[in-house]
Amino acid sequence: MAELAPSLRITEVFFSLQGETSRMGVPTVFVRLTGCPLRCGYCDSAYAFHGGETQSFDTIVEKVRSFGAKTVCVTGGEPLAQKHSLAFLKHLCDEGFDVSLETSGALPIEHVDPRVSRIVDIKTPGSGELAKMRWENLAAVNNSDEIKFVLCDRADYEWARDLLRDQKLAERAPVLFSPVWETLKPADLAAWVLEDKLPVRMQVQLHKILWGDRPGV
Ligand SMILES: C[S@@+](CC[C@H](N)C(=O)[O-])C[C@H]1O[C@@H](n2cnc3c(N)ncnc32)[C@H](O)[C@@H]1O
Ligand SMILES: Nc1nc2[nH]cc(C(=O)O)c2c(=O)[nH]1
Ligand code: SF4
Ligand SMILES: [Mg+2]
């Protein structure tokens, strides 16, 4: 019997400015996949934990293409938790898109198509999901990827700073430090990064400054 065409469970596809990472500000199509095995206390995308709609690759790509942009960010939920996400990432690259992936760090990243830039979170103690971190992922990141810490408070900051130094993370890939929205004051994080002269890129979520904390932007 012929296999059904591969599909994904999708929460939303939308066009916005990339609000995170070193690609911040670039017009980007976002594909948000449904479902996540983690429950970070601060998650701003909990609406993607359930629901969504099953769509074929062709349907998703047609929607992506309709925005007329070359840059695509696959996020979630946790994209790598879906069976066909690796094939989908490869398909987007084959179709000529410039693709980035937002992933929690809890699932294997090494089989992601090498043309994809992988933004790999290291979940902190404050996220409540540190125990899910798959530390082997760190050996797989390279200079076209980014390692990202989303920080709840000073304790998270010190934990991330110490890990950055001990594991020489900045030598593996660019490192991002981002405050949890409306939880850690960006100016506090900026002062700490400067005081410790950390080799990281501090970033705030541009889309929330522009449009607030809501789906679809
Ligand atoms: C919604 S997650 C989806 C992808 C994947 N599950 C992950 O955690 O990377 C995308 C990014 O948003 C970050 N994020 C989620 N909630 C946030 C918040 N309240 N403030 C700042 N960043 C947040 C996550 O840490 C992650 O880097
Ligand atoms: N504008 C915008 N940029 C983003 N970068 C990463 C996002 C995400 O939710 O993963 C995101 C998002 O939700 N919106
Ligand atoms: S891993 Fe990502 S989507 Fe899942 S709960 Fe954490 S921030 Fe939200
Ligand atoms: Mg978001």
Side-chain angles (χ1 to χ4, degrees), residues 123-124 128-135:
K123 297 299 179 186
T124 62
E129 288 290 34
L130 167 58
K132 300 250 175 71
M133 176 66 191
R134 183 176 180 272
W135 293 102

Side-chain angles (χ1 to χ4, degrees), residues 116-158:
V116 174
S117 173
R118 301 166 297 187
I119 316 304
V120 183
D121 269 30
I122 298 184
K123 297 299 179 186
T124 62
S127 75
E129 288 290 34
L130 167 58
K132 300 250 175 71
M133 176 66 191
R134 183 176 180 272
W135 293 102
E136 302 94 296
N137 281 342
L138 290 183
V141 294
N142 63 52
N143 227 25
S144 65
D145 303 319
E146 299 181 22
I147 298 171
K148 176 172 171 187
F149 293 91
V150 172
L151 306 167
C152 297
D153 52 23
R154 174 75 193 181
D156 265 5
Y157 170 78
E158 289 181 6

Side-chain angles (χ1 to χ4, degrees), residues 95-210:
E95 292 288 314
F97 294 104
D98 177 354
V99 184
S100 66
L101 167 73
E102 292 271 341
T103 185
S104 61
L107 288 135
I109 63 164
E110 52 267 24
H111 301 301
V112 173
D113 190 290
R115 293 168 290 182
V116 174
S117 173
R118 301 166 297 187
I119 316 304
V120 183
D121 269 30
I122 298 184
K123 297 299 179 186
T124 62
S127 75
E129 288 290 34
L130 167 58
K132 300 250 175 71
M133 176 66 191
R134 183 176 180 272
W135 293 102
E136 302 94 296
N137 281 342
L138 290 183
V141 294
N142 63 52
N143 227 25
S144 65
D145 303 319
E146 299 181 22
I147 298 171
K148 176 172 171 187
F149 293 91
V150 172
L151 306 167
C152 297
D153 52 23
R154 174 75 193 181
D156 265 5
Y157 170 78
E158 289 181 6
W159 181 87
R161 177 197 63 194
D162 295 348
L163 189 70
L164 173 88
R165 288 175 173 161
D166 291 350
Q167 299 291 321
K168 298 188 170 48
L169 295 179
E171 291 174 18
R172 297 170 193 245
V175 178
L176 305 164
F177 272 27
S178 177
V180 173
W181 182 253
E182 288 180 343
T183 299
L184 173 56
K185 278 203 195 113
D188 287 348
L189 179 55
W192 302 338
V193 165
L194 287 171
E195 191 181 353
D196 289 332
K197 302 178 177 58
L198 296 189
V200 302
R201 180 188 298 263
M202 180 191 145
Q203 54 138 90
V204 286
Q205 293 177 293
L206 174 67
H207 52 297
K208 293 185 187 172
I209 294 170
L210 293 171

Side-chain angles (χ1 to χ4, degrees), residues 20 32 44-45 207:
E20 304 176 19
R32 191 179 305 283
D44 62 11
S45 302
H207 52 297

Side-chain angles (χ1 to χ4, degrees), residues 12 14 16-21 30 32 44-45 47 73-76 102 148 205-208 211 214 216-217:
E12 55 183 355
F14 61 95
S16 186
L17 296 183
Q18 176 57 266
E20 304 176 19
T21 77
F30 291 84
R32 191 179 305 283
D44 62 11
S45 302
Y47 60 89
C73 176
V74 177
T75 184
E102 292 271 341
K148 176 172 171 187
Q205 293 177 293
L206 174 67
H207 52 297
K208 293 185 187 172
W211 301 300
R214 57 190 179 84
V217 295

